[in-house]
Amino acid sequence: MKDLSQNFPTKARSITKTVVNSEIRKEIEENQKFFKGTLGLQPGDSALFINGLHIDLDTQDIFSVLDVLRSEARVMEGLRSLLIESPYIHDILKLNVQPSDSDYAVDIRNPAICWINNLETDHKYSSWPYNVQELLRPTFPGVIRQIRKNFHNLVIILDPTQENAAELLSVAEMFYANNIPLRIGLVFVVSDEEDIDGMQDAGVALVRAYNYITDEVDSHSAFEAVISMFNRVPISGKLSVGDVVKVLEKRFPYVEVSSVLGADSSYDSNRKQGKAYYEQTGVGPLPVVMYNGIPYQREQLDPDELETTTMQKILETTSFYQRAVYLGELATDHDVVDFIMNQPNVVPRINSRVLSTSRTYLDLSNT
């Protein structure tokens, strides 16, 4: 094989005269079909796996491969020192061990979340590939794969009347405008009083305006209107009812604003649910940004830091999905969000007293 691959031009004439057994030809075709379906490998492509770890031949060299072999050998020697038999070592190596500092996530399958886009159904993403096997296709390092699946979900929980609400929404708008493969959801935490007048409360007015535009047009248009409302707010200022009314009157001049925003408004869905969801999850003080249900740290909510952290999380999580696809745990016909929410780190409520990340380990090395 080494001689043929290195001296192929000089061997080509004699190779073409070789008669190939029909059984070998059939086996090769079956292999090509199998690896194309499972790993996305085209006929003639190559792939290298060490203990199930995909080694990218475009970015790795012999020294980095040697480091991987040494790392795997150390793990296997440690397992062998515990008198674990070889067949079981192979099964243990395939386990996805949760790191000690694993982040807990909350369930994002809640009707209180207003999703402004959906990668799987929106026409905007119709030209993207749909098959999850695209995750295994080799790409340049740092490239974010555009696949029509909701692999990456960003949820922003905010009080529209807070000063920093506009900054967070502008980052969300940037992600959407630049076709980042990110499903974006909003949870508005406003007053949950029964008979509140939106003409007197800016937060309630925004929620009712959002619901009205979503019903009349779509969720993306409602999001654009919300951005326009916040663009009217002066620097270090707060959203007012006037900002909401002005945008609503400009976009829908024929509508009676008081019927949309007033106390008897029929566009009041999700107003109480938003606050209830926020209180139920226990994610801390507002505003809160979550990636696949995992809350960001407070220092990561700065607009520049939020953008960088989110892009980094997308790249880091891709390897988790690649592993799941490779092991057959995630297929194209599976619901990706259900798959994410069924992971062991997803909890109904984040309680810092209960969910302490410090762990104690039992030393078995001398037994």
Side-chain angles (χ1 to χ4, degrees):
M1 290 295 289
K2 180 182 175 184
D3 181 45
L4 286 174
S5 61
Q6 290 183 346
N7 304 298
F8 186 77
T10 61
K11 307 278 186 180
R13 183 181 293 273
S14 59
I15 290 174
T16 56
K17 296 177 181 178
T18 305
V19 179
V20 179
N21 189 314
S22 60
E23 291 183 5
I24 295 178
R25 187 190 298 272
K26 183 180 177 182
E27 183 181 342
I28 290 173
E29 289 174 350
E30 288 177 354
N31 287 343
Q32 288 176 343
K33 185 177 179 181
F34 174 77
F35 288 120
K36 184 177 180 181
T38 56
L39 302 178
L41 288 177
Q42 300 295 327
D45 285 352
S46 302
L48 175 63
F49 292 88
I50 297 176
N51 283 350
L53 296 172
H54 181 232
I55 307 299
D56 192 338
L57 300 174
D58 292 327
T59 58
Q60 304 277 12
D61 57 23
I62 190 65
F63 302 106
S64 58
V65 172
L66 191 59
D67 288 339
V68 173
L69 288 171
R70 283 176 177 152
S71 173
E72 292 296 301
R74 278 196 297 272
V75 175
M76 288 188 286
E77 286 166 4
L79 294 172
R80 195 74 186 89
S81 69
L82 298 175
L83 303 181
I84 296 174
E85 298 296 328
S86 297
Y88 299 115
I89 289 178
H90 178 70
D91 293 334
I92 292 173
L93 285 171
K94 289 197 295 184
L95 291 175
N96 187 16
V97 181
Q98 289 286 330
S100 59
D101 58 345
S102 66
D103 296 312
Y104 289 99
V106 295
D107 201 324
I108 57 173
R109 294 171 296 183
N110 193 294
I113 302 174
C114 306
W115 298 103
I116 66 172
N117 64 333
N118 188 329
L119 274 66
E120 299 182 9
T121 58
D122 289 1
H123 178 72
K124 179 179 180 178
Y125 311 104
S126 59
S127 61
W128 293 6
Y130 186 72
N131 198 319
V132 296
Q133 297 295 333
E134 291 290 327
L135 284 168
L136 301 176
R137 189 183 298 278
T139 61
F140 292 107
V143 172
I144 294 177
R145 299 160 193 267
Q146 293 183 324
I147 302 174
R148 198 151 41 95
K149 284 284 190 181
N150 293 320
F151 288 120
H152 313 287
N153 303 272
L154 189 77
V155 176
I156 301 175
I157 305 176
L158 75 162
D159 179 350
T161 58
Q162 287 185 332
E163 290 183 10
N164 52 2
E167 294 180 339
L168 294 176
L169 290 174
S170 66
V171 175
E173 181 193 25
M174 183 276 300
F175 283 136
Y176 182 83
N178 287 286
N179 285 346
I180 303 299
L182 190 67
R183 186 169 70 139
I184 302 168
L186 304 175
V187 178
F188 299 112
V189 181
V190 298
S191 171
D192 57 355
E193 293 178 21
E194 194 65 42
D195 298 319
I196 189 165
D197 188 357
M199 300 300 288
Q200 308 297 326
D201 187 305
V204 174
L206 183 137
V207 171
R208 288 174 178 169
Y210 181 92
N211 290 335
Y212 171 75
I213 300 171
T214 300
D215 288 351
E216 290 292 312
V217 192
D218 56 26
S219 56
H220 174 235
S221 298
F223 178 63
E224 286 183 336
V226 169
I227 296 296
S228 299
M229 294 170 192
F230 278 102
N231 286 341
R232 297 179 57 86
V233 178
I235 298 173
S236 71
K238 293 183 179 181
L239 183 75
S240 67
V241 176
D243 298 323
V244 178
V245 171
K246 283 282 191 292
V247 171
L248 205 56
E249 287 178 339
K250 183 178 180 181
R251 291 179 177 242
F252 301 93
Y254 55 84
V255 74
E256 181 66 39
V257 173
S258 59
S259 66
V260 175
L261 307 183
D264 298 326
S265 173
S266 56
Y267 303 99
D268 212 26
S269 61
N270 282 13
R271 177 170 65 85
K272 295 180 181 179
Q273 291 93 319
K275 189 169 186 177
Y277 176 72
Y278 165 66
E279 292 175 347
Q280 170 220 317
T281 52
V283 287
L286 292 170
V288 177
V289 180
M290 302 187 298
Y291 172 81
N292 283 353
I294 302 174
Y296 285 37
Q297 302 296 323
R298 302 304 298 176
E299 61 270 13
Q300 295 174 332
L301 297 186
D302 176 76
D304 293 335
E305 188 67 25
L306 178 61
E307 178 186 342
T308 305
T309 305
T310 304
M311 300 299 278
Q312 190 63 38
K313 283 181 179 289
I314 291 174
L315 292 171
E316 290 173 355
T317 314
T318 299
S319 60
F320 164 73
Y321 291 128
Q322 287 173 323
R323 178 187 176 87
V325 172
Y326 176 69
L327 294 176
E329 297 169 358
L330 180 62
T332 302
D333 58 343
H334 291 175
D335 188 309
V336 176
V337 176
D338 284 345
F339 173 77
I340 299 168
M341 292 298 106
N342 289 332
Q343 296 304 309
N345 67 320
V346 178
V347 293
R349 176 179 174 83
I350 293 183
N351 187 319
S352 56
R353 291 185 180 180
V354 177
L355 303 176
S356 174
T357 55
S358 59
R359 300 182 179 186
T360 53
Y361 292 92
L362 187 62
D363 186 359
L364 299 170
S365 56
N366 292 324
T367 57

